[in-house]
Amino acid sequence: MLENLIPQTVTYTTAGHLLIIGAEDAIRLAAASLDGMASITLVATDPITSQDEAHLAEVMRAVEQTETLPSYYSKQVKVKGFLGQYQAFIKDDSGKELELAPAAVRRPHYDLVLDLGQQPSLTLELLPPGYFHVADDADKLAGAVAQLPELVGEFSKPRYVKINADICAHHGSGIDGCNRCLNFCPADAIASVNHKIEVDHNLCHGAGSCSNACPTGAISYDQPSPTVLQDYLKRLVTRYIELADSRPVVLFHDMTAGDEALKALQALPGAVLPVALEEIAVAATDSWMSALAWGARQVVVLTTEVTPPTLMALLQREHKLASDLLQAIGLEDRIQMLASAELDSLSALVEQSASWPELAIAAYPSNLPKRDAFYNGLDHLNGCAAANDETLSIPHLPYGAVVVDAEKCTLCQSCSALCPTRALMDGGDMPALNFTEQACVQCGLCEKACPEQAITLISQVTLDREHRQQSRVLHEEEPFECIRCSKPFATKAVITKITTQMENHSAFAGDALKRIQMCEDCRVKDMFEDIMNDPEKQLRV
């Protein structure tokens, strides 16, 4: 099927209504320097910062220019929203919360916010467009003052990610499961709404951390999509090898700070292929492993001083996983994280990797889902090196096994019914629980759904491909046959358990207890036969 290559966009509309927050003198000076705004509202959170005479004289001139502007005083200002739709709240003299925009400019919201306070009123690692926190940084203030009048009009940006709710492991049948994407969004753009994962595209910066944290692929990056990025990597590395007859080093970097850091270098080593991403976390273990499998001799991930802490935590987790796996198969140091402050050591890394033995080039396609791309890359590299078949215990990752306590398990199939990836499946005609490790995302739905608490999750990566991909039986029993028609309809464990629980119940007194050991059809027949043979029961009916 043809797919629209231009992602859907989000549109912001602004008229230039501005809110300025900060110390009394700072906000007056900033307001006096701004032209072209539809309105300006001032909120003083602190008194004048300097008593210098020259400074006070300048402030007084600014006060004269801005004395007609709506002005408020509040120690705290609560701000939420995005470009074109910012809401701001302060406490009035009576302690009640006052929404500023309707009160000050008779509008439902502000379009822009200039925050001069030492602590931002909006605390996010990635701030939404239209919000400028400059504190007392003169250069940042000058940049914001120059940019604010330009943010009047209509603006668009892509919807960076999309969600396939059908394969999401977040919630099922009243049970909460995977929350990984909620833990790694630096823009606070992801939320669980009515037990469904939703993305606020107005806040989303396209950091890519959610798509990398998602174990099922339910959240996927849309610019570029995973398959487009994989295809680009394969063609890039393959073409380099054809032309240069040598192996390249692939350097992932972001389009902003990372690109600037590379431009500051006097020269980029000739063997380095830079790959620019919207954000550095867009590519992770699946892309790193695939780049190596398709012929790169090394992968370098460039971070900068402005990489948000949440993204750094995700990248460090992914890097540790990749490093542990590559070390186990004898290919350590093939994936490196490098800070922009350490770019001077890039040449040494490239030179060191030039002496490493070349690995065979993988032939698997580039249009695989994320997990399949990761496992194909891992299996190829393992086959090229040590062909290790051990199992590595790596906690808190979406790879692993399910262990079932056979003495507790009744094969009720509550777990397999909820499994979003079909890693757990029933035995068809036979009472059994089957498991495929490669499909397991460790979401926890099966563990929480088990009424007998018979399931335990083990986070691990198994290097033995055949063992990992093969469906194996976790627990099985002989079927219990109906005592009337011999039809198998349940397991012996279930029937034994229910019989024990119901033997003292009045509804199952006497021969009625045997109905538990009958299939659904025979149970109904037995009940009607009992009524037909007892006139008193017929009268009660």
Side-chain angles (χ1 to χ4, degrees):
M1 295 178 64
L2 294 176
E3 183 178 4
N4 184 4
L5 297 179
I6 303 175
Q8 291 182 314
T9 58
V10 177
T11 300
Y12 303 98
T13 302
T14 71
H17 296 275
L18 173 66
L19 172 67
I20 304 181
I21 305 167
E24 173 76 23
D25 50 345
I27 61 176
R28 292 286 178 180
L29 291 170
S33 65
L34 277 163
D35 292 318
M37 308 310 298
S39 73
I40 298 177
T41 302
L42 305 177
V43 179
T45 56
D46 293 289
I48 292 176
T49 58
S50 172
Q51 297 297 323
D52 178 76
E53 290 187 7
H55 176 74
L56 291 176
E58 187 179 1
V59 171
M60 289 306 298
R61 287 192 294 270
V63 169
E64 292 176 2
Q65 291 178 252
T66 61
E67 61 182 353
T68 60
L69 298 181
S71 302
Y72 297 85
Y73 298 87
S74 177
K75 281 293 182 183
Q76 290 185 337
V77 184
K78 185 170 67 176
V79 176
K80 63 180 181 180
F82 47 86
L83 178 64
Q85 292 194 35
Y86 281 106
Q87 292 177 286
F89 304 86
I90 63 173
K91 294 287 182 68
D92 62 17
D93 295 337
S94 64
K96 292 180 61 178
E97 190 172 71
L98 173 69
E99 187 174 356
L100 275 178
V105 291
R106 302 295 187 268
R107 289 182 57 83
H109 46 68
Y110 291 103
D111 300 311
L112 305 158
V113 179
L114 176 60
D115 192 344
L116 306 177
Q118 292 302 312
Q119 298 299 322
S121 298
L122 194 57
T123 54
L124 296 172
E125 292 178 23
L126 289 179
L127 295 170
Y131 178 91
F132 298 85
H133 178 245
V134 302
D136 53 5
D137 190 317
D139 292 335
K140 284 186 177 181
L141 177 59
V145 168
Q147 191 176 350
L148 281 167
E150 298 176 359
L151 291 176
V152 177
E154 189 171 280
F155 308 90
S156 297
K157 73 169 185 180
R159 292 175 180 258
Y160 292 106
V161 298
K162 55 186 177 182
I163 298 179
N164 180 358
D166 293 338
I167 58 174
C168 180
H170 174 59
H171 187 87
S173 298
I175 299 171
D176 289 326
C178 175
N179 290 314
R180 290 183 175 92
C181 61
L182 298 174
N183 299 327
F184 286 105
C185 181
D188 201 23
I190 301 180
S192 176
V193 180
N194 296 325
H195 303 298
K196 289 185 178 180
I197 294 296
E198 293 188 2
V199 175
D200 187 336
H201 295 285
N202 293 297
L203 295 176
C204 177
H205 279 253
S209 52
C210 56
S211 62
N212 273 320
C214 179
T216 65
I219 300 182
S220 60
Y221 205 78
D222 208 26
Q223 187 176 343
S225 67
T227 52
V228 168
L229 177 58
Q230 291 282 326
D231 183 62
Y232 173 74
L233 282 175
K234 186 174 185 179
R235 289 186 291 109
L236 181 70
V237 174
T238 302
R239 187 63 174 159
Y240 180 93
I241 294 173
E242 289 176 357
L243 295 176
D245 195 26
S246 63
R247 301 298 181 92
V249 173
V250 173
L251 173 67
F252 290 103
H253 66 91
D254 67 70
M255 292 180 178
T256 52
D259 192 53
E260 292 175 5
L262 291 180
K263 288 178 180 177
L265 283 179
Q266 291 185 351
L268 195 64
V272 174
L273 290 177
V275 176
L277 304 169
E278 183 77 23
E279 291 285 351
I280 190 58
V282 169
T285 46
D286 56 318
S287 299
W288 304 344
M289 291 289 191
S290 293
L292 293 175
W294 288 326
R297 68 178 190 246
Q298 188 178 36
V299 168
V300 178
V301 181
L302 181 66
T303 62
T304 70
E305 64 278 359
V306 297
T307 302
T310 297
L311 297 193
M312 282 298 299
L314 175 66
L315 289 170
Q316 288 166 352
R317 188 196 74 169
E318 295 283 291
H319 180 247
K320 185 179 187 312
L321 166 64
S323 298
D324 289 347
L325 293 173
L326 292 176
Q327 184 175 5
I329 60 180
L331 296 176
E332 57 269 17
D333 299 329
R334 295 272 176 159
I335 298 176
Q336 295 280 352
M337 283 185 65
L338 189 68
S340 56
E342 304 169 333
L343 263 178
D344 291 341
S345 63
L346 179 60
S347 296
L349 281 177
V350 173
E351 185 177 348
Q352 177 190 10
S353 65
S355 62
W356 293 344
E358 294 184 352
L359 306 176
I361 297 176
Y364 66 84
S366 58
N367 60 346
L368 299 174
K370 181 178 70 172
R371 286 176 70 87
D372 290 344
F374 165 76
Y375 275 124
N376 272 272
L378 174 63
D379 291 335
H380 174 79
L381 296 173
N382 189 28
C384 290
N388 197 333
D389 62 357
E390 69 176 299
T391 297
L392 304 179
S393 178
I394 304 176
H396 310 304
L397 287 174
Y399 310 96
V402 169
V403 176
V404 172
D405 187 336
E407 293 184 1
K408 294 181 179 179
C409 178
T410 60
L411 292 175
C412 67
Q413 302 301 333
S414 296
C415 52
S416 63
L418 281 177
C419 183
T421 61
R422 311 304 292 158
L424 287 169
M425 296 188 69
D426 61 42
D429 294 335
M430 292 295 294
L433 181 62
N434 299 325
F435 175 68
T436 305
E437 183 175 328
Q438 181 157 319
C440 180
V441 297
Q442 299 280 293
C443 64
L445 285 173
C446 59
E447 187 177 32
K448 294 176 182 176
C450 180
E452 311 300 335
Q453 297 182 336
I455 290 180
T456 304
L457 301 181
I458 299 178
S459 182
Q460 64 185 34
V461 177
T462 300
L463 295 175
D464 186 337
R465 180 175 186 169
E466 183 177 349
H467 176 82
R468 195 181 65 234
Q469 292 183 340
Q470 185 178 23
S471 176
R472 60 184 188 272
V473 177
L474 294 182
H475 181 48
E476 62 181 344
E477 288 187 18
E478 293 182 12
F480 186 90
E481 297 179 351
C482 173
I483 60 175
R484 283 188 55 153
C485 69
S486 300
K487 169 188 170 182
F489 71 98
T491 65
K492 288 185 176 181
V494 168
I495 298 303
T496 301
K497 180 178 180 179
I498 296 176
T499 301
T500 302
Q501 291 176 340
M502 297 292 112
E503 61 184 357
N504 295 321
H505 196 285
S506 58
F508 295 94
D511 291 340
L513 187 63
K514 293 181 179 179
R515 290 181 189 142
I516 296 174
Q517 301 172 347
M518 300 177 189
C519 66
E520 60 276 13
D521 294 331
C522 292
R523 193 176 304 129
V524 173
K525 291 177 183 178
D526 186 72
M527 291 175 65
F528 273 97
E529 288 173 0
D530 187 35
I531 292 174
M532 293 296 293
N533 295 328
D534 189 340
E536 292 185 6
K537 288 185 179 180
Q538 294 176 28
L539 292 173
R540 288 200 296 271
V541 171

